[in-house]
């Protein structure tokens, strides 16, 4: 009997020792797993020294592990958990709290990188078909989503994903922009070659353009942006240019041409405007985004093909928030990259 007790005690001691060693290993590596948002290659900024930096790389969004990766030892012991990640990101916006919303046409849903809740969640799944463009109404907490498969634009509650409104009568709607000061939604009705303006409740206000190449005319308008004074910027895709309109939809100016040199466009995509009025245009063929002044003069370009910070594989959607953070959907790298515009110190 005593011998049996000794054997049991030895087994218990062995088990406890093994468990203790496992725990020591686990705790020794906690915090050793780098975040995907913190590459170890150093800081990335453009232009390079000795010039003063104007654009700085901040982070990138992939999947739920952007909020913290699982411990490597726990993964080894318990098996690897499969994670849903971005697969074909396109439209992107951020709300006033910094939460990032990404339209993923392959997942048929909107990814929400929720910084307030520190979690990845989804809206629109089961509602949207192929989401393309996004816009946000921060006052009412609404995400607008263009759906190129269903030819509709949905207004969804940004928290619950509840369907609040549906707009129709489009052919391949794509780019969206929401003017919060005037409570106005702009929609690129791409295959009808027009841009339509609606009030916050979905009432039609006016239509801009028709098919053509003259001022105020379009050939497959796509991505949209609104600047601080409410002027509308339209990527006129197959006219290879950007057109600018005032708050009444009146043509103001245009810039851009087809070409493979810096300052020209090949496949222009997402567009944004920072607080100093600089205009950013992503180009899926160049794997970069270019920055212009209001006159259309090229100031700087960022990017080339690749997977490192500031490199792209078919960049598409773009959004610039009120803090001058620049969000770019890096489609074939299945991520969103975030940059910061650094205003010149006066």
């Amino acid at each position: 009997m005593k011998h049996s007790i000794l054997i049991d005690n030895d087994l218990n001691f062995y088990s406890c020792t093994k468990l203790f060693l496992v725990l020591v290993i686990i705790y020794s590596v906690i915090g050793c797993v780098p975040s995907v948002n913190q590459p170890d290659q150093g800081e990335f900024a453009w232009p390079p020294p000795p010039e003063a930096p104007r654009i700085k790389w901040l982070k990138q969004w992939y999947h739920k592990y952007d909020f913290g990766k699982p411990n490597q030892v726990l993964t080894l012991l318990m098996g690897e958990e499969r994670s849903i990640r971005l697969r074909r990101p396109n439209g992107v916006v951020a709300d006033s709290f910094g939460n990032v919303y990404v339209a993923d046409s392959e997942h048929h849903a909107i990814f929400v990188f929720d910084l307030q809740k520190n979690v990845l969640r989804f809206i629109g799944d089961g509602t949207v078909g192929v989401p393309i463009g996004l816009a946000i109404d921060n006052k009412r907490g609404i995400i607008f989503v263009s759906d190129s498969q269903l030819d509709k634009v949905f207004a969804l509650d940004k928290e619950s994903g509840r369907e609040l409104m549906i707009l129709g009568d489009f052919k391949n709607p794509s780019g969206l922009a929401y003017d919060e000061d005037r409570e106005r939604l702009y929609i690129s009705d791409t295959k009808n070659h027009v841009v339509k303006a609606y009030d916050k409740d979905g009432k039609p206000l006016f239509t801009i353009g028709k098919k053509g190449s003259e001022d105020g005319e379009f050939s497959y308008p796509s991505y949209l942006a609104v600047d601080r004074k409410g002027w509308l910027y339209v990527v006129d895709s197959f006219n290879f240019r950007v057109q600018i309109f005032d708050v009444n939809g009146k043509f103001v100016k245009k810039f851009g041409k087809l070409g493979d040199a810096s300052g020209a466009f090949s496949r222009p995509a997402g567009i944004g405007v920072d607080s100093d009025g600089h205009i950013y245009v992503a180009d899926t063929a160049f794997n970069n985004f270019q920055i212009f002044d209001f006159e259309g003069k090229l100031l700087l370009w960022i990017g080339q093909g690749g997977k490192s910070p500031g490199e792209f594989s078919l960049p598409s959607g773009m959004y610039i928030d009120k803090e001058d953070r620049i969000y770019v959907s890096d489609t074939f790298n299945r991520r969103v990259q975030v940059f910061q515009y650094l205003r010149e110190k006066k």
Side-chain angles (χ1 to χ4, degrees), residues 190-194 210-214 216-222 234-241 243:
T190 301
K191 288 187 177 180
N192 280 324
H193 308 285
V194 297
K210 63 179 182 179
K211 184 173 177 56
S213 58
E214 299 299 319
E217 299 178 345
F218 301 112
S219 180
Y220 297 93
S222 57
V234 183
V235 174
D236 188 6
S237 297
F238 289 126
N239 283 326
F240 306 98
R241 63 186 181 182
Q243 296 199 66

Side-chain angles (χ1 to χ4, degrees), residues 10-23:
D10 287 343
L11 288 173
N12 288 336
F13 175 78
Y14 175 77
S15 299
C16 290
T17 302
K18 183 179 179 181
L19 177 60
F20 174 76
L21 290 173
V22 170
L23 290 174

Side-chain angles (χ1 to χ4, degrees), residues 169-170 184-189 192-198 203-211 216 218 221 232 245 248-251:
D169 194 27
F170 305 111
R184 182 182 296 172
L185 175 67
Y186 294 98
I187 302 172
S188 278
D189 191 358
N192 280 324
H193 308 285
V194 297
V195 175
K196 296 178 178 178
Y198 296 81
K203 178 182 176 181
L205 296 176
F206 54 85
T207 297
I208 303 171
K210 63 179 182 179
K211 184 173 177 56
F218 301 112
L232 176 68
F245 301 85
N248 299 311
K250 181 181 178 181
F251 173 82

Side-chain angles (χ1 to χ4, degrees), residues 190-336:
T190 301
K191 288 187 177 180
N192 280 324
H193 308 285
V194 297
V195 175
K196 296 178 178 178
Y198 296 81
D199 71 10
K200 65 176 182 178
D201 299 315
K203 178 182 176 181
L205 296 176
F206 54 85
T207 297
I208 303 171
K210 63 179 182 179
K211 184 173 177 56
S213 58
E214 299 299 319
D215 293 351
E217 299 178 345
F218 301 112
S219 180
Y220 297 93
S222 57
Y223 296 86
L224 306 175
V226 174
D227 69 13
R228 292 343 188 234
K229 59 181 178 288
W231 285 16
L232 176 68
Y233 296 71
V234 183
V235 174
D236 188 6
S237 297
F238 289 126
N239 283 326
F240 306 98
R241 63 186 181 182
V242 170
Q243 296 199 66
I244 306 172
F245 301 85
D246 68 14
V247 295
N248 299 311
K250 181 181 178 181
F251 173 82
V252 175
K253 68 177 305 156
K254 64 187 178 185
F255 68 88
K257 62 180 181 179
L258 175 63
D260 58 5
S262 297
F265 298 127
S266 180
R267 291 170 60 190
I271 188 168
V273 185
D274 69 26
S275 60
D276 284 335
H278 304 126
I279 305 160
Y280 299 62
V281 184
D283 197 300
T284 61
F286 295 157
N287 286 319
N288 69 8
F289 63 87
Q290 301 182 91
I291 307 173
F292 302 86
D293 67 12
F294 186 73
E295 301 304 319
K297 177 185 176 182
L298 179 66
L299 303 175
L300 181 66
W301 59 267
I302 294 168
Q304 61 183 2
K307 297 182 178 181
S308 296
E311 297 179 343
F312 300 97
S313 181
L314 204 142
S316 54
M318 174 181 283
Y319 181 75
I320 300 179
D321 69 15
K322 292 183 179 180
E323 303 300 320
D324 282 330
R325 288 183 291 257
I326 306 150
Y327 303 82
V328 184
S329 290
D330 188 4
T331 303
F332 283 176
N333 282 328
R334 300 191 295 171
R335 63 182 176 178
V336 168

Side-chain angles (χ1 to χ4, degrees), residues 7-148:
I7 292 175
D8 289 342
N9 286 340
D10 287 343
L11 288 173
N12 288 336
F13 175 78
Y14 175 77
S15 299
C16 290
T17 302
K18 183 179 179 181
L19 177 60
F20 174 76
L21 290 173
V22 170
L23 290 174
V24 167
I25 294 171
I26 290 173
Y27 283 110
S28 69
V29 298
I30 287 178
C32 295
V33 182
S35 166
V36 296
N37 279 339
Q38 303 294 332
D40 57 6
Q41 299 100 323
E43 186 175 279
F44 294 83
W46 298 264
E51 295 187 60
R54 305 307 303 273
I55 304 293
K56 179 181 178 181
W57 189 91
L58 294 181
K59 64 177 66 176
Q60 54 199 2
W61 296 106
Y62 285 94
H63 45 43
K64 71 178 183 179
Y65 294 150
D66 294 336
F67 296 100
K69 285 188 175 181
N71 184 270
Q72 287 181 329
V73 174
L74 287 176
T75 300
L76 180 64
L77 294 174
M78 301 179 183
E80 184 174 357
E81 179 185 2
R82 298 186 66 182
S83 172
I84 295 178
R85 61 164 295 164
L86 289 170
R87 294 195 63 84
R88 197 173 180 87
N90 198 320
V92 56
V93 294
D95 66 19
S96 55
F97 297 99
N99 304 314
V100 182
Y101 302 77
V102 188
D104 193 304
S105 58
E106 190 166 329
H107 279 299
H108 312 289
I110 313 304
F111 279 57
V112 184
F113 295 91
D114 194 322
L115 276 68
Q116 291 174 288
K117 299 176 181 177
N118 203 39
V119 69
L120 171 64
R121 56 186 180 85
F122 305 89
I123 60 174
D125 42 331
T127 299
V128 299
V130 178
I132 299 295
L134 296 180
I136 186 164
D137 175 357
N138 278 293
K139 294 178 183 177
R140 296 185 295 166
I142 294 176
I143 294 289
F144 296 97
V145 186
S146 63
D147 190 321
S148 65

